[in-house]
Amino acid sequence: MVKSGYTRPPPTAEDAAALPAPSAVLYVANCGPAVGLTHDDVAAAFGAFGEVEAVSAADDSGARVIVRFREPAAAGAAMAALHGRPCARLAGRVLHIRYSVPAPPKAPVAVSAPPVALSSSELGIPGVHLVQEFVTAAEEQELLAAVDSRPWKRLAKRRVQHYGYEFLYETRNVDSKQFLGELPSFVSKILEKIVTFPGVKNCTGKLVDQLTVNEYPCGVGLSPHIDTHSAFEEMIFSLSLAGPCIMEFRQYPKGSWRAPSVVSGTDEGSIQDPQCIRKSVFLPPRSMLLMSGEGRYAWHHYIPHHKIDDVAGQVIKRNSRRVSFTLRKVRMGLCECEYGQFCDSQSK
């Protein structure tokens, strides 16, 4: 039994040397710009264990980084001292660390993109509905001016704003007990119009109570994912402003609620599998997309990291920015949908 007041001594050099150190590179989760820590902050904290050559984003979540040391022994010392423990130099966050060993280079494999639908009926995914020109050009400018007058939060590759509840990127969830207040008045017209949106079911309460505004620079997309079932109710609305993009939907072979790219860092093998179903739809500026039912619960959605898109043989350049308004309803209990294999509530 550990006596009360016992403090575990810090790891010694001998402890670190005894650890396997196959790499001088560490993958570190639960730190990064999305949780208020700059790459310089991370470099300074890990620099206590040896010379840090670089800190870079591990993905576009903003909450996972790659730390590259000059020497493997320094990575081992950092692993021994920080894995699974609060780091005082990084706001007391509990870090989750593993070695990151670069995979050997592979010959590029050409994977053809799926045809791009111009309407939700052409897309053919149950529960997905698209309405073009959902807002006018004047309303678009008003919405952009409204968010640009308010403070942005910077992630690794894009900027965000949260209203109603803050989205927590490290857990892909929200804290339902931390209510930020009612949705801002500049979305009041949108809230009035979505009530009559195709596919919207009768709702006795508020249709949405959470808004995330994303600003994507040209060439920045979104990793494939399913919005966490336990975090949000069925209907998810996404309004595209300022610039166009393609959104791809995927059903992975032996799929689950986590995309292969989230689990292994790459989904190249999965999209080459003939059982992986891929469909794309073009989202022009001012269009509103609704994901509900099967399309929300059982299909991953993804925005390719492209600067140009091929739409029906026409090359369409992305604008310098694209701003999306994602409107959702925070779920206050467990999800009991019929898509259990894609549901984090039912897969635990």
Side-chain angles (χ1 to χ4, degrees):
M1 179 180 294
V2 179
K3 296 181 180 179
S4 175
Y6 175 80
T7 301
R8 181 174 180 172
T12 64
E14 290 78 10
D15 292 332
L19 290 171
S23 170
V25 184
L26 298 178
Y27 172 94
V28 185
N30 200 28
C31 75
V35 294
L37 302 172
T38 68
H39 288 179
D40 288 342
D41 295 333
V42 178
F46 279 81
F49 304 95
E51 184 177 353
V52 175
E53 291 188 332
V55 176
S56 57
D59 51 34
D60 66 353
S61 68
R64 291 178 283 271
V65 299
I66 298 294
V67 178
R68 183 180 300 274
F69 285 93
R70 181 172 292 278
E71 299 293 340
M79 171 84 82
L82 299 179
H83 175 59
R85 303 178 189 177
C87 179
R89 293 190 177 200
L90 295 175
R93 301 197 73 80
V94 177
L95 307 181
H96 306 283
I97 307 173
R98 66 172 185 261
Y99 290 108
S100 177
V101 181
K106 298 180 180 178
V109 178
V111 180
S112 60
V116 179
L118 299 178
S119 65
S120 47
S121 59
E122 186 181 346
L123 180 68
I125 297 178
V128 177
H129 302 272
L130 176 67
V131 171
Q132 299 192 26
E133 298 297 331
F134 184 78
V135 297
T136 66
E139 289 170 337
E140 176 185 39
Q141 294 307 311
E142 291 173 2
L143 291 168
L144 292 172
V147 294
D148 284 337
S149 69
R150 298 186 177 217
W152 292 91
K153 181 176 182 179
R154 185 169 295 280
L155 302 185
K157 295 183 180 180
R158 65 184 192 271
R159 300 192 300 174
V160 299
Q161 296 179 18
H162 300 290
Y163 300 95
Y165 297 85
E166 182 173 6
F167 185 74
L168 307 175
Y169 292 92
E170 63 271 24
T171 60
R172 302 200 70 84
N173 212 318
V174 295
D175 184 349
S176 59
K177 297 179 181 178
Q178 294 295 320
F179 182 55
L180 303 178
E182 299 295 332
L183 296 185
S185 59
F186 62 78
V187 295
S188 58
K189 291 183 180 178
I190 297 175
L191 301 182
E192 292 172 4
K193 293 177 71 173
I194 61 174
V195 176
T196 59
F197 201 90
V200 170
K201 299 177 181 178
N202 293 331
C203 185
T204 56
K206 288 184 179 179
L207 195 58
V208 296
D209 58 10
Q210 193 272 337
L211 166 65
T212 294
V213 181
N214 283 283
E215 181 193 58
Y216 299 91
C218 183
V220 174
L222 193 63
S223 298
H225 69 283
I226 295 175
D227 283 48
T228 311
H229 288 205
S230 63
F232 302 108
E233 297 283 356
E234 178 182 351
M235 288 179 286
I236 298 173
F237 298 87
S238 180
L239 176 65
S240 295
L241 301 175
C245 77
I246 285 175
M247 180 172 284
E248 182 175 313
F249 289 84
R250 296 178 178 178
Q251 274 197 334
Y252 291 98
K254 300 179 182 178
S256 70
W257 68 284
R258 293 193 299 173
S261 59
V262 174
V263 177
S264 64
T266 177
D267 61 352
E268 289 180 359
S270 295
I271 64 172
Q272 294 176 52
D273 191 308
Q275 295 182 23
C276 178
I277 303 173
R278 301 168 63 207
K279 298 185 176 187
S280 290
V281 65
F282 179 59
L283 304 180
R286 298 182 295 281
S287 65
M288 176 74 90
L289 183 76
L290 167 63
M291 292 179 287
S292 63
E294 180 185 322
R296 178 268 190 269
Y297 284 132
W299 289 74
H300 291 77
H301 59 278
Y302 157 64
I303 299 176
H305 301 265
H306 294 167
K307 291 188 176 181
I308 60 172
D309 293 308
D310 184 345
V311 180
Q314 181 181 0
V315 174
I316 296 182
K317 294 182 179 181
R318 295 196 186 173
N319 287 12
S320 58
R321 71 188 300 214
R322 173 179 172 266
V323 177
S324 69
F325 282 43
T326 302
L327 293 145
R328 300 173 281 208
K329 178 76 166 64
V330 172
R331 190 184 296 277
M332 296 301 176
L334 295 177
C335 178
E336 299 179 349
C337 70
E338 59 184 287
Y339 305 95
Q341 75 186 92
F342 303 101
C343 182
D344 63 304
S345 290
Q346 300 175 53
S347 63
K348 293 179 180 179

